[in-house]
Amino acid sequence: MPRRSLAVTLAVAFSATTLTVFVCVGWYLYLALAQQVRKHDDQDVVLAARHVRRLATELGSPQDALAHAQRLSSAVLGNPALALQIVDAQGRQLAAHDEGETFDEPPTPLSNAIASADVDLSPAHAGALVLAPDARITDSAIREWRSAHGVPVRSIAFDVALRDGATVRVAIARDMRGPLSLLDSYRDTLAFAGSVGTLVVLLGSYAWIRLALRPLRQIAEQAREVTAYRLDQPIRVKHVPGELATLVASLNAMLERLHAGFQRLSQFTADLAHDMRTPLSNIRGATEIALARPRPEEEYQTVLASNLEECERLSRMIENVIFLARAEHPRFETRRRAVNVHDELERIAGYFEGLAEEAGLAIRVDGGGTVNVDVELFRRALNNLIANALRYTPAGGTIVLTATPSAHALDVVVDNPGTPIAPEHLERIFERFYRADPSRTSAPDAMGSGASAGLGLAIVRTVMELHGGSVRAESDARSTRFILRFVDDAA
């Protein structure tokens, strides 16, 4: 199925709108002109009728009407469209004038013409169709009908009382072929003008829309050139309209995010490969040395234990990478519940107590409170921070775990003495595989936290993001502090 063109669709929509407007305006103008023409013609009929009535009331008898037929006909002289007919009570024609041959030739009595048009002249409707002698002649008494030859006619009929008491009936009609022909011509002109105007709008709007959509085509052309290796090149279009400027800005922002994401992914892949190469090289080197010549059983056991340690390091690294990848998925779910922070910190401190004693360190827990967290993720974050503190706290130092509740949040602080972290490293230490001190790469990985691979603090930040909280680090000559802020969801 061919794709629909936006330019064609808009042009057709504009043309349809224009045609609708032309039809409505043309119809209104046509009706207004028809009303004005009808009003003007009806005024001619009314004036002629009033003039004839005034002349007829001066007649003494119907015979006088025959004698003064020419004078009575003067009311319609000079206007070929007007016709006059006067008959007595018995239907005999007394006077008639029809220059435009509105009626049959020879002239047919107007009453017969009206009857042939199926217009009721019964006494019950006489007041509606034939005005009484004392009735006022207005355009509301004018009736529209067609003659025996189909000529459109608008006429008025009224009775006139003569001086002798007799009554004659006068009918004045106007041939409407001329006005209707004018209206038909006007209608055809409107139809032609509307059709031409619609066609001009169709072609013109299509051309203008094509021109207006040119920046959009340029955006599409540049977007087709975007690849994974060209994400750093923004879309640039000259003379972008305001409606498309937002689109261009959004696309460029998306490209920046994609570029940053690809850069992070590339860096992450390179760092992961580098960190995995070290234990693999250790395993391979130790194995090659062990196989170079026969050795005692104790040396083989030492090599196997060393290889097992490196395999565990690789497993922890892979597990941490998988966790980070899963945590970034939008559908990753946390199972939260209310936790007594003090009890949980005591439990974690007890878990690290043996390692702390071996290193000549102490762990103290202060404060408390309740927080709604995923317990497993909470423990994982604290394990990484405590393992990191054990690694860099000098012998004889004390690691302090503090929980401080506030109005709508709770802060958990891991505070340990030691060499301060430089300010330029404080914001980046939560990045994956980032190490503030590269010389510490080979530092022991306490309790298998994965921190020595540069993932421990990245996991802490991910855990806090999953909880809608935040993590930050502060460091000075006194100590280094990692502050976890859990926000109360109900606040």
Side-chain angles (χ1 to χ4, degrees):
M1 183 177 179
R3 294 181 179 178
R4 185 173 55 183
S5 170
L6 179 59
V8 172
T9 302
L10 291 177
V12 170
F14 291 157
S15 301
T17 303
T18 302
L19 181 60
T20 303
V21 172
F22 280 165
V23 169
C24 293
V25 173
W27 184 249
Y28 172 78
L29 293 176
Y30 176 83
L31 292 179
L33 179 62
Q35 184 178 6
Q36 290 296 324
V37 169
R38 181 172 297 177
K39 183 177 181 181
H40 181 270
D41 293 339
D42 288 352
Q43 188 177 11
D44 291 343
V45 174
V46 169
L47 291 176
R50 290 175 179 175
H51 184 61
V52 171
R53 171 187 273 184
R54 188 166 55 252
L55 294 176
T57 54
E58 298 175 358
L59 300 176
S61 65
Q63 296 301 321
D64 291 342
L66 286 173
H68 296 86
Q70 186 174 0
R71 182 186 176 192
L72 293 173
S73 299
S74 64
V76 297
L77 287 176
N79 191 341
L82 289 178
L84 169 68
Q85 202 169 50
I86 302 176
V87 298
D88 60 11
Q90 289 74 36
R92 291 177 301 175
Q93 181 172 289
L94 302 177
H97 183 83
D98 185 11
E99 295 182 6
E101 298 182 356
T102 301
F103 309 110
D104 300 340
E105 288 293 344
T108 303
L110 188 59
S111 58
N112 293 342
I114 294 177
S116 68
D118 296 328
V119 177
D120 190 3
L121 277 177
S122 63
H125 295 83
L129 293 175
V130 181
L131 297 177
D134 57 348
R136 178 178 174 80
I137 298 177
T138 62
D139 55 3
S140 61
I142 296 177
R143 296 294 179 264
E144 185 172 349
W145 49 280
R146 287 184 176 272
S147 70
H149 289 170
V151 177
V153 176
R154 287 182 65 79
S155 67
I156 188 170
F158 55 93
D159 291 337
V160 179
L162 305 181
R163 290 182 178 179
D164 63 355
T167 301
V168 295
R169 179 162 296 179
V170 181
I172 297 179
R174 194 189 196 290
D175 186 348
M176 299 299 295
R177 285 177 295 185
L180 292 180
S181 177
L182 173 65
L183 290 175
D184 290 343
S185 176
Y186 183 69
R187 180 193 59 208
D188 295 340
T189 301
L190 288 176
F192 175 76
S195 301
V196 173
T198 302
L199 181 61
V200 171
V201 170
L202 175 63
L203 299 178
S205 60
Y206 177 77
W208 280 108
I209 291 170
R210 287 277 300 175
L211 182 62
L213 292 179
R214 183 179 179 184
L216 192 59
R217 292 194 297 273
Q218 293 176 348
I219 293 173
E221 291 173 0
Q222 294 189 34
R224 281 195 293 268
E225 298 176 358
V226 174
T227 63
Y229 305 101
R230 300 185 63 182
L231 294 174
D232 57 336
Q233 298 184 5
I235 295 175
R236 293 187 176 90
V237 179
K238 295 182 179 179
H239 309 298
V240 180
E243 291 78 3
L244 296 181
T246 304
L247 174 62
V248 173
S250 299
L251 289 175
N252 287 333
M254 180 187 69
L255 290 177
E256 291 179 3
R257 293 193 298 270
L258 289 175
H259 179 63
F262 270 89
Q263 290 292 98
R264 289 195 299 269
L265 180 61
S266 299
Q267 185 64 38
F268 175 76
T269 304
D271 292 339
L272 180 61
H274 177 271
D275 281 295
M276 293 183 68
R277 182 173 59 186
T278 300
L280 288 175
S281 297
N282 293 341
I283 293 173
R284 181 175 180 178
T287 304
E288 288 177 349
I289 292 174
L291 295 177
R293 60 183 177 82
R295 297 179 182 276
E297 181 178 349
E298 292 80 5
E299 292 188 16
Y300 285 120
Q301 291 178 349
T302 302
V303 170
L304 292 176
S306 175
N307 288 350
L308 179 60
E309 195 174 302
E310 296 295 342
C311 288
E312 291 177 351
R313 181 181 174 187
L314 281 173
S315 297
R316 289 193 297 271
M317 188 183 305
I318 293 172
E319 179 186 353
N320 289 328
V321 170
I322 292 175
F323 169 77
L324 290 172
R326 289 177 177 174
E328 290 180 349
H329 197 280
R331 295 185 179 179
F332 186 87
E333 295 182 359
T334 57
R335 298 176 177 84
R336 302 190 191 187
R337 61 182 177 86
V339 174
N340 187 302
V341 180
H342 182 84
D343 293 346
E344 197 61 40
L345 293 180
E346 287 284 4
R347 187 178 294 106
I348 295 173
Y351 183 72
F352 283 93
E353 186 177 358
L355 287 175
E357 290 179 356
E358 290 179 6
L361 304 175
I363 301 178
R364 188 177 78 245
V365 177
D366 292 334
T370 303
V371 67
N372 193 31
V373 295
D374 185 310
V375 178
E376 295 300 325
L377 296 181
F378 179 80
R379 292 173 181 172
R380 187 165 194 165
L382 267 296
N383 286 346
N384 287 351
L385 292 178
I386 296 174
N388 189 69
L390 289 174
R391 187 177 302 107
Y392 300 120
T393 301
T398 300
I399 300 172
V400 181
L401 309 181
T402 306
T404 306
S406 60
H408 303 299
L410 183 140
D411 292 342
V412 177
V413 182
V414 178
D415 188 337
N416 69 281
T419 304
I421 302 174
E424 63 269 18
H425 296 305
L426 284 178
E427 291 298 327
R428 300 196 60 192
I429 57 177
F430 296 101
E431 297 178 5
R432 300 176 186 179
F433 295 105
Y434 182 82
R435 298 183 184 85
D437 185 359
S439 65
R440 295 178 176 178
T441 301
S442 59
D445 187 8
M447 295 306 298
S449 66
S452 64
L455 294 175
L457 295 181
I459 291 175
V460 173
R461 182 174 65 177
T462 300
V463 169
M464 295 308 298
E465 289 175 350
L466 290 173
H467 285 84
S470 61
V471 58
R472 71 179 190 276
E474 299 175 354
S475 185
D476 51 34
R478 182 179 63 83
S479 65
T480 297
R481 297 167 296 282
F482 289 90
I483 303 164
L484 309 181
R485 168 154 292 190
F486 295 91
V487 180
D488 186 1
D489 295 336

